[in-house]
């Protein structure tokens, strides 16, 4: 039978320990493999299909993020944080299915297409100074992977609108109707992500299928109306988003809302009947839900309440609410090591970049899980991109484990460095550390010099500083997934949460202030420098040209002229004495002849110049 | 006669003793600064280390080479691959409990000592030649003999105790090795050791492109011999001798005849050219072997000479081009690059060659001084070299004008340079114009210094000519 396109929408709500609420919208659109002669879509966006086909994209992920993920309170070891905690700004990575020599060309074309499609400055990633080619430090292991990020890109409503246009129901119906712009962008964290992957078909003559996954992850602060300060705030969908769900997207195959509650440890040990359990869980002494869930699924650390919004209507909208009755505390499961990155040093000349990895409470639970040669170790991959204006001295890399410096061969298992070239390419560093499980802290530092740029290379606000993109710390031996006890092939969201995903966290974006030249000085610098050089040139030539011998010859020539005058005087006296006045007229005749010849020559030159001028002006 | 001999003996005994004491003191001073716990971080001073001579960049290049990457990857290292092979392993080894790069500092101390000893030998040769040239001028014989200063010892001690030299040695710059190569070439030419002169020239040009003009003074040294007075003076002397028919004049004419007939030794020059080609091929083969898998010679020329000629790095230094090309408009950059690169060739090299070809060592000083002002990435090590060569001519340049003013200018702008840099980079109360203004002032004083030196040397030669004329009349 012929497969059809599928669209699913889901919303996951999750209270957080620091009195906030996480809302995760998940939309999945699947296009089956079809005939390569032509493709006509009913649900799948045509722009994405053409983009994949044109640039031979095998896998791609694009995210627009505002705010920073709090790994300590919002989670570090669950699929939500591993997949949706993104660095600030725009991040794009893509794996292409083209020959190696065409990967960069495809990347440039892809950035331009995405720039137009999503109304963002993604085309800035076209420059070879803005992207890198990771090998193994980043997630996908491929030599046709390209990665780039723009930390300074401001994410706002104009980025959400084209993102919503890819949905079949836009933001008119279904779960996406909850996306009220003021509510979404008022939160502490906002990340919209687009993930593309192709599915190969085994048959000949059929193109590959496309899976488009769009997610929006927001962290919102409910309004606090409770008098008690330590009480968790109660909320509802209308109070969080200012809108209600009045019906599902009629084009969606499934439309569900999930509520995930962690920390309900008191109910794990009970082995009660499912129906009775469900009845008791959504109304108990701690909290109360405003609607009865369809199902309740137990996970190793949390409970999942499933709601179907198909039953809602205009007269009876879907408005899920959670009311807390008494204070409740719990903590999130965290990654093995908590990572942070900061700058060291002062001044505008040089500094150092340091990464600090600290052990978390979750590390003790994970001890003994990984054994390498009989020893318990934690593997950590660190991936960093350095802009070209940060001159990194890679030989100054130092690694301290528990405040003791280790040589590179002890803990550094693998390192791949691609130094940056001025104005040509950015630098990249991939490191794999192998640390003992009982490690408390790891510090990595590397020194750099700050670059001095041409005045044209500064951004409009030069004194704000330059951004160093976030570093990515991933743990290849640890995977995050939700361990559901029941089979849930129906929901794409739950299927993705059930898959094992790499545990990773992004560090802070660093802001490096560079020294600035005086932008008003180009003409002054050029004129002053050239003037000094001209003065030097003149004085040197004067010294070298001067000859005392020439001065003596000049004096002799002056004396010669004087003697000539004396001769003339003597000749006149003798002429008077002898009574011969004929000689004087002859000399005057000679002078007149010389003058006449010079005059004739001048007249000829002027006439020639006039004729030439007339000739050329006539031509023009 | 006896008294003169005794005086000479006393002077000969005292001078080497004092020289070696001062030399040892300078070495101890350098070692004290190197191993001092004060940890003066001079390796990143823009006056001492440039992108071309920085040891930190050499260490980075060596690390990249050890990591199977090209040492020129990443716009860091722009020096010689041979220097990388020699100094690179020293940057990795660390003495227990000490900071890094101490072995490189010891290498630089040894280079400074060798340079000083070679300078002393050059100076002694020059002094002997000067005295021999003044001997035929009978009127000046007695007074000049007593007044001639030991320029070799003075030049060597000026080099060792020059603060610029000490800064380059302690500040982890590769300038001491470049200076040693230049002085080796001059020493080889002065002592007429043609292979050594060619080797020094090739190494100096390989380490720094601006040493290439030294080929002209070296050819004059090998062709005409050591700093000979102008031949015109001896022609006039012979002419005067011929005119007068006295016996004493005939004897003087006989004495001066060998000097007058001193020819240009083309054979030695061809020998020199041959050895230049030999050493060039040898160095290029070595570089090609060391960079075989990283782009070869083309990559080396692009990253070393191309980096110098294109002024790619706009980090501040004591020259004037870093700010000029940071502020110049992009569309006129190529034009200005051509202008300033041809400026050195067209302004200084031909005009000086014509007027100073009879003084090859002084011509070498003039060339080094001009290139140290007009090169892309100057440092205090370049000033240390030409100041020491200037000290070789203390006898000829005693009548130099404005010498005290120029001396104060050098001290003033040298001390102001770190102050302006601190205001700009660290405190933020100043801006780049502060440091650029200091660089301009420093360049002005260097120009003035070179101009007055050339003027004084030409005046000295004119005085010699007058003395010869007076002797002819007598």
């Amino acid at each position: 039978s012929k497969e059809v396109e599928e669209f699913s929408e889901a919303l996951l709500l999750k209270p957080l320990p620091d009195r906030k609420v996480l809302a995760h919208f998940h939309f999945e659109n699947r296009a089956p493999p079809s005939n390569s002669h032509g493709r006509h879509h009913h649900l799948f966006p045509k722009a994405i299909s053409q983009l994949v086909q044109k640039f031979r994209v095998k896998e791609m992920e694009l995210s627009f993020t505002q705010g920073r993920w709090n790994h300590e309170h919002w989670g570090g070891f669950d699929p939500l944080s591993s997949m949706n905690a993104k660095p600030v700004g725009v991040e794009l990575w893509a794996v292409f299915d083209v020959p190696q020599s065409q990967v960069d060309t495809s990347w440039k074309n892809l950035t331009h297409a995405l720039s137009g499609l999503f109304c963002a400055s993604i085309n800035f990633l076209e420059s070879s100074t803005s992207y890198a080619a990771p090998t193994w430090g980043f997630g996908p292991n491929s030599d046709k992977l390209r990665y780039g990020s723009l930390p300074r890109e401001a994410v706002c409503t104009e980025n959400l609108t084209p993102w919503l246009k890819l949905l079949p129901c836009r933001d008119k119906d279904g779960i996406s109707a909850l996306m009220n712009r003021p509510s979404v962008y008022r939160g502490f964290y906002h990340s919209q992500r687009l993930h593309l992957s192709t599915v190969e078909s085994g048959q000949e003559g059929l193109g590959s299928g496309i899976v488009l996954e769009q997610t929006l992850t927001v962290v919102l602060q409910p309004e606090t109306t409770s008098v008690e300060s330590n009480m968790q705030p109660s909320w509802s969908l209308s109070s969080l988003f200012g809108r209600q769900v009045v019906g599902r997207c009629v084009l969606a195959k499934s439309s569900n809302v999930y509520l995930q509650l962690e920390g309900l440890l008191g109910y794990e040990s009970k082995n009660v009947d499912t129906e009775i359990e469900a009845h008791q869980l959504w109304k108990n002494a701690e909290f109360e839900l405003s609607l009865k869930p369809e199902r309740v699924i137990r996970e190793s650390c949390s409970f999942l309440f499933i709601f179907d919004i198909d039953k809602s209507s205009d007269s009876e909208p879907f408005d899920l609410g959670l009311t807390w009755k008494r204070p409740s505390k719990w903590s999130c499961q965290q990654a093995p090591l908590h990572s942070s990155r900061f700058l060291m040093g002062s001044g505008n000349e040089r500094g150092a970049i340091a990464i600090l990895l600290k052990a978390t409470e979750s590390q003790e639970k994970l001890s003994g899980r990984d054994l390498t040669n009989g020893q318990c170790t934690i593997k950590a991959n660190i991936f960093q991109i350095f802009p070209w204006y940060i001159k990194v001295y890679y030989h100054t890399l130092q690694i301290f484990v528990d405040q003791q410096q280790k040589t590179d061969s002890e803990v550094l298992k693998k390192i791949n460095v691609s130094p940056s070239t001025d104005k040509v390419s950015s630098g990249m560093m991939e490191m794999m550390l192998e640390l003992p499980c009982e490690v408390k802290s790891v510090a990595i530092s590397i020194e750099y010099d700050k670059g001095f740029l041409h005045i044209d290379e500064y951004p409009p606000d030069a004194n704000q500083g330059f951004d160093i993109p976030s570093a990515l710390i991933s743990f290849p031996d640890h995977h995050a997934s939700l361990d559901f006890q029941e089979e849930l092939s129906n929901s794409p969201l739950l299927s993705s949460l059930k898959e094992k995903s790499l545990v990773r966290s992004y560090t802070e974006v660093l802001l490096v202030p560079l020294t600035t030249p005086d932008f008003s000085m180009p003409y002054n610098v050029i004129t002053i420098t050239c003037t000094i050089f001209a003065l030097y040139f003149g004085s040197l030539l004067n010294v070298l040209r001067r000859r005392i011998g020439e001065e003596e010859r000049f004096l002799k020539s002056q004396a010669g002229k004087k003697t000539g005058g004396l001769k003339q005087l003597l000749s006149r006296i003798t002429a008077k004495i002898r009574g011969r006045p004929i000689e004087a007229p002859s000399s005057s005749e000679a002078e007149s002849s010389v003058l006449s010849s010079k005059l004739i020559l001048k007249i000829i030159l002027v006439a020639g110049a006039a004729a030439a001028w007339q000739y050329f002006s006539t031509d023009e | 006669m006896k008294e003169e001999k005794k005086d000479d003996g006393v002077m000969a005994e005292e001078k080497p003793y004092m020289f070696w004491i001062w030399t040892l003191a300078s070495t101890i001073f350098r070692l004290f600064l190197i191993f001092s716990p004060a940890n003066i971080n001079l390796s990143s001073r823009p006056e001492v280390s440039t992108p071309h001579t920085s040891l930190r960049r050499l260490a980075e290049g060596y690390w990249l080479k050890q990591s199977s990457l090209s040492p020129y990857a990443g716009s860091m290292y722009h020096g010689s691959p041979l220097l990388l092979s020699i100094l690179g392993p020293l940057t990795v080894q660390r003495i227990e409990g000490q900071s890094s790069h101490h072995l490189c500092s010891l290498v630089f101390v040894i280079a400074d000592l060798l340079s000083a000893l070679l300078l002393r030998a050059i100076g002694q040769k020059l002094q002997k030649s000067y005295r021999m040239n003044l001997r035929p001028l009978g009127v000046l014989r007695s007074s000049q003999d007593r007044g001639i200063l030991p320029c070799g010892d003075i030049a060597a001690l000026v080099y060792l105790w020059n603060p610029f030299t000490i800064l380059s040695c302690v500040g982890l710059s590769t300038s001491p090795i470049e200076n040693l190569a230049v002085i080796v070439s001059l020493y080889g030419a002065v002592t007429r050791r043609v292979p050594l002169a060619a080797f020094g020239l090739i190494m100096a040009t390989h380490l720094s492109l601006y040493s290439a003009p030294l080929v002209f003074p070296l050819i004059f040294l090998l062709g005409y011999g050591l700093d000979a007075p102008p031949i015109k003076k001896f022609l006039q002397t012979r002419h005067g001798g011929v005119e007068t028919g006295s016996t004493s004049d005939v004897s003087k004419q006989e004495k001066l005849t060998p000097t007058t007939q001193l020819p240009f030794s083309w054979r030695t020059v061809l020998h020199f050219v041959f050895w230049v080609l030999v050493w060039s091929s040898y160095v290029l083969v070595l570089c090609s072997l060391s960079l075989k898998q990283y782009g070869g010679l083309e990559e080396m020329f692009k990253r070393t000479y191309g980096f110098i000629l294109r002024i790619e790095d706009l980090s501040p230094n004591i020259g004037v081009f870093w700010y000029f090309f940071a502020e110049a408009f992009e569309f006129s950059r190529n034009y200005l690059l051509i202008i300033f690169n041809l400026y050195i060739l067209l302004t200084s090299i031909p005009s000086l060659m014509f007027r100073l070809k009879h003084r090859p060592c002084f011509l070498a000083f003039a060339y080094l001084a001009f290139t140290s002002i007009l090169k892309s990435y100057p440092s205090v090590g370049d000033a240390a070299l030409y100041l020491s060569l200037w000290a070789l001519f203390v006898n000829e340049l005693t009548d130099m004008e404005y010498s005290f003013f120029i001396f104060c200018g050098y001290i003033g702008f040298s001390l102001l340079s770190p102050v302006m840099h601190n205001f700009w980079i660290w405190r933020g109360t100043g801006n780049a114009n502060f440091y650029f203004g200091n660089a301009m002032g420093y360049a002005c004083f260097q120009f003035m210094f070179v101009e007055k030196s050339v003027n004084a040397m030409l005046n000295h030669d004119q005085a010699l000519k007058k003395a010869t004329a007076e002797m002819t009349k007598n």
Side-chain angles (χ1 to χ4, degrees):
Chain A
S1 65
K2 185 177 182 181
E3 299 185 31
V4 297
E5 300 176 354
E6 295 179 358
F7 173 71
S8 307
E9 59 178 8
L11 169 63
L12 177 71
L13 296 162
K14 179 181 175 183
L16 298 172
D18 61 342
R19 308 163 60 85
K20 297 183 175 64
V21 177
L22 171 73
H24 178 71
F25 297 82
H26 187 271
F27 307 94
E28 186 170 291
N29 210 329
R30 285 178 174 267
S34 66
N35 200 328
S36 58
H37 295 297
R39 187 186 287 269
H40 299 280
H41 298 294
H42 297 86
L43 300 176
F44 200 83
K46 189 176 182 182
I48 298 294
S49 173
Q50 290 175 337
L51 185 128
V52 169
Q53 189 176 356
K54 174 80 174 177
F55 303 125
R56 307 289 299 275
V57 179
K58 193 174 184 180
E59 193 175 358
M60 188 195 85
E61 186 167 277
L62 172 66
S63 67
F64 299 85
T65 304
Q66 174 185 290
R68 185 168 182 271
W69 187 264
N70 192 332
H71 288 91
E72 291 172 323
H73 293 102
W74 302 352
F77 204 91
D78 52 314
L80 273 177
S81 56
S82 295
M83 291 190 293
N84 297 291
K86 288 295 178 181
V88 71
V90 171
E91 190 205 42
L92 171 67
W93 61 264
V95 182
F96 296 93
D97 191 16
V98 293
Q100 182 69 40
S101 57
Q102 301 176 20
V103 173
D104 290 317
T105 305
S106 299
W107 169 264
K108 296 179 198 294
N109 294 329
L110 178 69
T111 53
H112 275 267
L114 292 174
S115 181
L117 191 60
F118 288 100
C119 195
S121 307
I122 306 172
N123 55 311
F124 285 1
L125 295 174
E126 168 202 25
S127 173
S128 56
T129 61
S130 303
Y131 69 92
T135 54
W136 46 263
F138 204 69
N141 195 341
S142 170
D143 59 343
K144 299 174 181 178
L145 166 65
R146 294 294 182 267
Y147 173 89
S149 67
L150 298 169
R152 198 177 278 216
E153 180 74 13
V155 178
C156 203
T157 55
E158 68 256 16
N159 302 121
L160 186 62
T161 303
W163 189 85
L164 288 171
K165 284 184 176 178
L166 302 176
L167 301 175
C169 290
R170 310 287 188 266
D171 56 343
K172 300 294 184 291
D173 271 332
I175 291 175
S176 53
L178 286 171
M179 294 185 186
N180 188 24
R181 307 289 198 278
S183 304
V184 164
Y185 286 93
R186 191 185 62 230
F188 288 79
Y189 180 84
H190 160 90
S191 177
Q192 58 192 71
R193 182 171 67 96
L194 184 141
H195 186 89
L196 266 175
S197 59
T198 55
V199 181
E200 290 293 333
S201 65
Q203 305 178 23
E204 291 289 337
L206 283 182
S208 58
I210 308 172
V211 179
L212 172 63
E213 182 183 346
Q214 293 176 250
T215 65
L216 173 67
T217 307
V218 291
V219 174
L220 302 170
Q221 174 73 60
E223 296 180 2
T224 305
T225 56
S226 176
V227 179
E228 304 184 36
S229 59
N230 56 351
M231 181 78 80
Q232 288 278 340
S234 304
W235 50 266
S236 66
L237 287 184
S238 55
S239 68
L240 284 179
F241 296 100
R243 288 183 184 176
Q244 297 172 352
V245 180
V246 297
R248 72 181 187 94
C249 177
V250 294
L251 300 169
K253 184 182 176 183
S254 65
S255 182
N256 292 321
V257 173
Y258 304 93
L259 175 64
Q260 183 183 9
L261 290 178
E262 291 183 338
L264 304 179
L265 300 178
Y267 294 89
E268 286 182 0
S269 57
K270 292 185 178 180
N271 292 320
V272 295
D273 187 67
T274 304
E275 186 176 355
I276 300 175
E277 176 185 317
H279 178 76
Q280 288 185 359
L281 277 178
W282 72 286
K283 281 187 176 180
N284 54 59
E286 292 200 10
F287 65 90
E288 181 180 349
L289 302 181
S290 64
L291 297 175
K292 182 180 179 182
E294 291 290 319
R295 295 172 63 188
V296 177
I297 297 175
R298 183 184 304 191
E299 199 255 335
S300 58
C301 304
S302 64
F303 282 89
L304 199 70
F305 300 87
I306 303 176
F307 303 86
D308 191 353
I309 63 174
D310 201 5
K311 300 177 180 178
S312 62
S313 62
D314 289 336
S315 59
E316 193 179 347
F318 181 85
D319 191 5
L320 175 63
L322 173 66
T323 305
W324 293 93
K325 295 181 177 177
R326 67 185 184 189
S328 177
K329 288 186 178 179
W330 68 95
S331 62
C332 293
Q333 194 176 359
Q334 300 180 25
L337 297 168
H338 176 71
S339 60
S340 63
R341 190 174 71 156
F342 48 91
L343 293 171
M344 298 195 298
S346 64
N348 278 332
E349 191 176 50
R350 59 182 177 271
I353 296 170
I355 295 179
L356 187 62
L357 304 174
K358 279 194 169 182
T360 56
E361 298 174 359
S362 306
Q363 181 208 9
E364 298 171 2
K365 304 175 184 177
L366 301 169
S367 296
R369 180 178 293 186
D370 304 315
L371 294 178
T372 304
N373 298 328
Q375 285 188 353
C376 179
T377 56
I378 297 175
K379 284 197 176 72
N381 283 346
I382 298 174
F383 168 75
Q384 292 190 83
I385 290 184
F386 301 114
W388 65 268
Y389 37 81
I390 301 295
K391 297 177 183 299
V392 178
Y393 290 95
Y394 293 99
H395 75 278
T396 59
L397 177 71
Q398 295 180 25
I399 303 173
F400 301 85
V401 176
D402 291 332
Q403 281 93 35
Q404 291 188 2
Q405 184 171 2
K406 300 287 185 178
T407 57
D408 291 352
S409 58
E410 291 181 18
V411 293
L412 187 59
K413 290 304 169 185
K414 210 191 297 183
I415 182 170
N416 181 33
V417 165
S418 173
S420 66
T421 308
D422 285 354
K423 307 172 192 174
V424 171
S425 66
S426 56
M428 182 194 66
M429 182 167 76
E430 296 169 306
M431 294 191 294
M432 176 184 278
L433 305 178
E434 196 168 272
L435 308 161
C437 285
E438 61 272 7
V439 70
K440 290 294 184 291
S441 70
V442 182
I444 300 153
S445 76
I446 192 164
E447 297 181 11
Y448 69 91
D449 281 351
K450 300 185 181 182
F452 294 86
L453 316 181
H454 193 262
I455 55 174
D456 295 340
E457 294 161 355
Y458 284 90
D461 189 5
N463 291 285
Q464 177 183 344
F466 291 70
D467 299 292
I468 298 180
S470 300
L472 173 66
I473 287 93
S474 57
F475 303 93
D477 290 342
H478 297 76
H479 294 91
S481 65
L482 292 187
D483 191 11
F484 295 113
Q485 300 170 359
E486 307 175 17
E487 290 298 327
L488 298 164
S489 60
N490 184 27
S491 176
L493 172 63
L494 298 186
S495 300
S496 66
L497 294 180
K498 195 169 183 179
E499 291 178 1
K500 291 191 172 182
S501 61
L502 190 65
V503 175
R504 52 189 190 180
S505 58
Y506 287 89
T507 62
E508 296 91 342
V509 170
L510 299 175
L511 191 67
V512 180
L514 299 187
T515 181
T516 55
D518 195 334
F519 294 103
S520 63
M521 285 282 288
Y523 292 105
N524 298 348
V525 169
I526 293 172
T527 52
I528 291 171
T529 307
C530 295
T531 300
I532 288 178
F533 279 25
L535 288 176
Y536 146 72
F537 182 69
S539 63
L540 177 72
L541 279 198
N542 194 28
V543 166
L544 295 177
R545 185 194 58 81
R546 189 165 50 97
R547 291 171 181 268
I548 299 180
E550 283 184 348
E551 293 178 6
E552 294 174 358
R553 292 193 206 100
F554 181 71
L555 293 176
K556 289 180 180 178
S557 64
Q558 290 288 341
K561 286 185 179 180
K562 292 180 180 179
T563 56
L566 287 175
K567 287 181 179 178
Q568 287 184 1
L569 188 60
L570 288 176
S571 65
R572 288 180 184 176
I573 293 171
T574 54
K576 285 183 180 180
I577 292 170
R578 294 178 184 178
R580 296 180 180 179
I582 300 173
E583 291 180 0
S586 66
S587 65
S588 66
E589 285 179 0
E591 289 180 358
S592 64
S593 66
V594 169
L595 289 175
S596 63
S597 65
K598 287 184 179 179
L599 185 62
I600 291 170
L601 186 61
K602 286 181 180 178
I603 291 170
I604 292 172
L605 284 176
V606 170
W613 179 266
Q614 186 67 25
Y615 178 77
F616 285 114
S617 64
T618 306
D619 284 345
E620 290 177 358
Chain B
M1 292 294 292
K2 293 182 179 179
E3 290 180 357
E4 288 179 358
K5 287 183 179 179
K6 287 184 179 179
D7 289 341
D8 288 342
V10 172
M11 294 287 286
E13 287 179 1
E14 283 185 345
K15 291 173 187 177
Y17 185 70
M18 293 304 298
F19 170 78
W20 290 112
I21 285 181
W22 280 109
T23 302
L24 184 62
S26 71
T27 306
I28 293 172
F29 185 60
R30 277 171 168 75
L31 295 178
F32 168 75
L33 287 181
I34 288 170
F35 294 101
S36 173
N39 193 13
I40 311 167
N41 191 9
L42 292 169
S43 64
S44 56
R45 291 299 312 176
E47 297 93 3
V48 176
S49 284
T50 64
H52 190 68
T53 61
S54 172
L55 194 71
R56 290 179 80 207
R57 290 171 177 252
L58 189 142
E60 180 72 10
Y62 185 70
W63 187 89
L64 292 172
K65 195 173 183 182
Q66 295 290 98
S67 305
S68 303
L69 290 164
S70 170
Y72 300 113
S75 300
M76 273 299 196
Y77 186 58
H78 299 282
S80 161
L82 304 184
L83 198 64
L84 191 75
S85 303
I86 295 170
L87 291 181
L90 300 180
T91 61
V92 177
Q93 301 180 8
R94 297 163 184 264
I95 305 174
E96 289 297 328
Q98 297 286 331
S99 63
S100 61
H101 307 328
H102 270 78
L103 295 178
C104 291
S105 301
L106 296 182
V107 169
F108 296 148
V109 171
I110 292 168
D112 273 358
L113 284 174
L114 282 177
S115 300
L117 294 180
L118 294 179
L119 265 177
R120 183 169 183 252
I122 293 170
Q124 287 170 348
K125 283 270 181 178
L126 277 174
Q127 184 178 339
K128 186 182 296 183
S129 170
Y130 187 61
R131 184 183 289 113
M132 287 176 61
N133 291 329
L134 289 186
R135 284 280 171 81
L137 310 177
V139 178
L140 302 172
R141 182 179 61 186
S142 59
S143 61
Q144 286 295 331
D145 277 354
R146 294 183 181 180
I148 290 178
L149 296 170
C151 60
D153 293 355
I154 290 173
L157 292 179
V158 162
Y159 186 77
L160 284 176
W161 283 99
N162 192 343
F164 291 164
T165 317
I166 296 174
L167 283 178
S168 298
C169 178
V170 177
L172 295 177
S173 165
T174 59
S175 289
I177 293 180
E178 296 178 10
N179 295 349
L180 176 60
V182 170
I183 294 172
V184 160
S185 66
L186 286 176
Y187 175 78
V190 164
T191 57
R192 305 192 75 79
R193 294 171 182 166
V194 174
L196 188 63
F199 173 74
L201 175 68
I202 291 305
M203 292 311 298
T205 306
H206 178 63
L207 295 173
S208 175
L209 179 65
Y210 293 101
S211 303
L214 286 180
V215 65
F216 301 114
L218 292 179
I219 285 176
F220 290 143
L221 265 170
L222 295 170
Y224 285 127
L226 203 51
D227 274 357
I231 300 177
K232 290 182 180 179
K233 293 184 284 184
F234 293 100
L235 290 177
Q236 292 181 3
T237 306
R238 187 180 64 180
H239 192 64
V242 168
E243 284 181 355
T244 59
S246 64
T247 307
S248 62
D249 290 339
V250 169
S251 65
K252 286 183 180 178
Q253 180 182 358
E254 288 178 356
K255 290 182 180 178
L256 296 177
T257 302
T259 312
T260 307
Q261 295 178 358
L262 185 67
F264 188 84
S265 180
W266 285 104
R267 184 178 178 182
T268 310
V269 170
L270 290 180
H271 193 200
F272 174 73
V273 169
F274 167 75
W275 273 105
V276 164
L277 295 178
V278 166
W279 287 119
S280 297
S281 306
Y282 187 65
V283 166
L284 289 180
V285 165
L286 285 184
C287 295
S288 179
L289 287 177
S290 64
L291 296 173
K292 182 167 55 179
Q293 48 185 344
Y294 307 120
L297 289 179
E298 184 181 355
E299 179 80 3
M300 185 194 79
F301 284 132
K302 188 193 301 181
R303 298 291 185 172
T304 56
Y305 294 160
F307 175 76
I308 291 172
L309 295 174
R310 283 196 297 264
I311 312 181
E312 294 177 355
D313 200 306
L314 302 176
S315 303
N317 49 57
I318 55 174
V320 297
F321 289 134
W322 61 276
Y323 202 52
F324 187 89
F325 285 101
E327 295 274 356
F329 304 108
E330 197 65 28
F331 52 84
S332 61
R333 189 175 211 276
N334 289 332
Y335 167 76
L336 294 169
L337 279 173
I338 293 170
I339 290 293
F340 283 118
N341 282 323
L342 291 180
Y343 196 76
I344 298 178
L345 291 176
L346 298 183
T347 58
S348 56
I349 293 177
S351 51
L352 283 172
M353 193 191 304
F354 290 128
R355 292 304 308 270
L356 292 171
K357 62 178 182 295
H358 59 282
R359 293 218 176 252
C361 279
F362 191 77
L363 183 62
F365 152 77
Y367 278 174
L368 290 171
F370 288 136
T371 53
S372 72
I373 305 167
L374 300 171
K375 68 192 300 185
S376 304
Y377 311 102
S379 68
V380 292
D382 307 312
L385 178 59
Y386 74 75
L387 287 175
S388 308
L389 290 184
W390 178 85
L392 287 173
F393 304 97
V394 286
N395 298 303
E396 290 91 338
L397 300 174
T398 48
D399 297 326
M400 182 173 160
E401 298 174 345
Y402 302 106
S403 55
F404 184 68
F405 177 62
I406 293 170
F407 176 69
C408 293
Y410 265 80
I411 291 183
F413 282 103
S414 301
L415 294 179
L416 270 180
S417 185
V419 172
M420 295 302 169
H421 190 261
N422 186 273
F423 279 159
W424 171 32
I425 295 291
W426 297 95
R427 296 170 184 273
T429 55
N431 59 7
N433 299 328
F434 283 49
Y435 197 68
F436 176 64
N438 194 85
M440 294 300 292
Y442 183 64
C444 284
F445 272 90
Q446 291 187 92
F447 285 144
M448 189 184 300
F449 174 68
V450 177
E451 183 207 340
K452 297 306 174 187
S453 300
V454 172
N455 196 22
M457 179 58 74
L458 294 178
N459 287 341
H460 178 77
D461 289 341
Q462 287 298 322
L464 284 184
K465 176 180 277 191
K466 288 181 179 179
T468 308
E470 290 175 0
M471 192 188 70
T472 306
K473 290 179 182 179
N474 293 334

